[in-house]
Amino acid sequence: MAVSSSLILSPLHFNFIANNKDINKNLSFLSANPLIFNISSKPTNINKGSSIVLCSYKSGSGLTAEDKRVLRERYGFDPNEYISEAKNERIKEGKKQGKGKELVAEEEAKVHRTTHKLLQVLGGKAKRKKLLSPKGMDVRPMMEVVKGAAFDILQAADGCPASLRPGRWLDLYSGTGSVGIEAISRGCSEAHFVEMDPWVVSNVLQPNLEWTGFLDASVIHPVRVETFLEQADRFSGNGPFDYISVTPPYTQVDYGMLMSQISKSPIVGENTFIVVEYPLRTDMLDSCGCLVKIKDRRFGRTHLAIYGPKWAQKKRKSDKTLQNTT
């Protein structure tokens, strides 16, 4: 006997392979759960003494989201895989109907999101304090080795290897706030965080600022980066920033357009430093407006470009010359 699946396409599917003596047990399990299946009497080319049960979940059959996760996990599948597949399909269909943005927000609200403490402040007055970050890949914080290198380069280029000067930091695509928090810890007097995800703001970014004691020195802008740059005069208020970090989701931005928009924005001044994290095989220009590239380093598949004033580039060259002569 062979038991085959019904003709229902679903992201949730799994196999049972059982001996004949166990088939009744499997069928009783299936009948107790809202899964759809057909039984066929046609012979199949399988080993004698075995039966195969293929099941497909039908939408609206009564299983809760948690039931689906448990079933997926029980039978060795990624419990989150079917959620992302189904979500993407619904969003694609919604975009065809002109409802893309609404469906994205709705689907994000349905997924249960949690946090863990894997990040930490690397230097300054909040050194070694653990920071929250979301589980999964929906927010990708800057790697700590990259973050540490970025601040070491900035401090040396700015003429103060021990700390940052007390200026203003703008953290674009801030996510966890790890970069801006590091900046305040190392000497910045104020940090602005641009993060559009309300769940991340309320469950990750704001708790991290409270935990480190930096909430009073911070301003959170819950808007898209593009919107912030277009209305920079309204949001920033006090002219150019001293430091800007740019750590976008790699696959969701055009770096050429993004850097062009930043270079033309009033957030950039003659003495601004910009830290840009970008992926492999991305072409970054040697300048950003009035600023020049003073450093470009690779960390595996991640690259780090730092732009700054021309005097910082000259200072680095003179420092290297001095080191070589000594």
Side-chain angles (χ1 to χ4, degrees):
M1 179 187 73
V3 183
S4 64
S5 66
S6 62
L7 298 178
I8 299 171
L9 297 178
S10 169
L12 179 61
H13 60 277
F14 46 86
N15 299 336
F16 290 85
I17 301 180
N19 295 323
N20 282 338
K21 63 181 181 180
D22 294 328
I23 192 65
N24 289 333
K25 180 180 178 181
N26 286 333
L27 290 176
S28 64
F29 166 81
L30 292 172
S31 62
N33 292 272
L35 297 165
I36 307 301
F37 61 94
N38 294 334
I39 299 179
S40 170
S41 60
K42 294 182 180 180
T44 57
N45 295 324
I46 58 175
N47 293 331
K48 186 177 181 181
S50 65
S51 301
I52 300 176
V53 179
L54 300 177
C55 307
S56 295
Y57 168 70
K58 182 178 181 181
S59 178
S61 61
L63 280 178
T64 65
E66 187 59 30
D67 291 335
K68 299 172 195 174
R69 294 173 67 88
V70 170
L71 284 172
R72 293 279 306 182
E73 194 167 8
R74 183 181 300 169
Y75 294 103
F77 293 90
D78 181 356
N80 296 314
E81 182 180 349
Y82 81 94
I83 294 177
S84 59
E85 289 176 357
K87 180 183 77 173
N88 291 337
E89 288 301 320
R90 286 192 288 271
I91 291 173
K92 286 179 183 177
E93 186 62 30
K95 285 181 178 178
K96 293 178 183 178
Q97 301 173 9
K99 300 178 180 179
K101 291 183 179 179
E102 293 83 355
L103 276 174
V104 169
E106 181 182 339
E107 293 298 335
E108 288 296 334
K110 288 180 182 178
V111 179
H112 180 61
R113 302 167 77 180
T114 56
T115 61
H116 52 185
K117 284 191 174 183
L118 292 182
L119 306 175
Q120 66 174 342
V121 182
L122 301 179
K125 52 192 173 185
K127 186 176 181 179
R128 295 193 181 91
K129 281 205 170 187
K130 294 287 186 180
L131 301 176
L132 291 169
S133 60
K135 289 184 179 180
M137 293 299 292
D138 50 344
V139 173
R140 183 195 51 77
M142 178 185 275
M143 293 188 301
E144 292 192 344
V145 64
V146 180
K147 183 172 69 172
F151 278 92
D152 288 344
I153 294 169
L154 280 178
Q155 289 170 195
D158 206 14
C160 185
S163 64
L164 293 172
R165 55 190 162 96
R168 297 195 309 150
W169 187 287
L170 174 61
D171 190 354
L172 297 176
Y173 305 96
S174 61
T176 65
S178 169
V179 180
I181 288 171
E182 188 78 32
I184 301 174
S185 181
R186 292 182 183 235
C188 273
S189 52
E190 181 182 307
H192 289 242
F193 300 86
V194 182
E195 174 54 52
M196 64 173 287
D197 188 328
W199 185 91
V200 171
V201 170
S202 59
N203 292 278
V204 181
L205 176 55
Q206 189 164 337
N208 282 341
L209 292 171
E210 291 172 351
W211 166 240
T212 52
F214 297 154
L215 191 59
D216 291 340
S218 304
V219 180
I220 298 174
H221 304 277
V223 297
R224 295 175 60 85
V225 167
E226 295 82 359
T227 303
F228 181 89
L229 294 174
E230 289 169 359
Q231 304 178 36
D233 287 329
R234 169 191 165 196
F235 290 120
S236 59
N238 297 322
F241 285 88
D242 299 284
Y243 305 95
I244 302 171
S245 55
V246 186
T247 56
Y250 291 163
T251 60
Q252 296 180 27
V253 298
D254 181 318
Y255 275 84
M257 292 179 62
L258 175 62
M259 295 309 296
S260 174
Q261 192 175 11
I262 290 174
S263 68
K264 298 172 184 176
S265 171
I267 64 173
V268 177
E270 293 181 355
N271 295 313
T272 300
F273 286 89
I274 304 177
V275 179
V276 186
E277 187 184 46
Y278 67 96
L280 198 62
R281 293 186 289 276
T282 301
D283 294 326
M284 297 295 291
L285 296 176
D286 290 332
S287 63
C288 180
C290 61
L291 307 177
V292 295
K293 188 191 291 182
I294 61 175
K295 195 70 176 177
D296 199 331
R297 288 186 59 183
R298 177 179 175 180
F299 302 84
R301 292 180 295 177
T302 298
H303 281 251
L304 183 70
I306 296 182
Y307 296 89
K310 292 180 180 179
W311 59 260
Q313 186 183 49
K314 292 176 182 178
K315 182 180 182 304
R316 285 186 62 82
K317 288 181 179 179
S318 63
D319 288 346
K320 285 184 179 179
T321 304
L322 182 62
Q323 288 176 2
N324 292 334
T325 55
T326 57

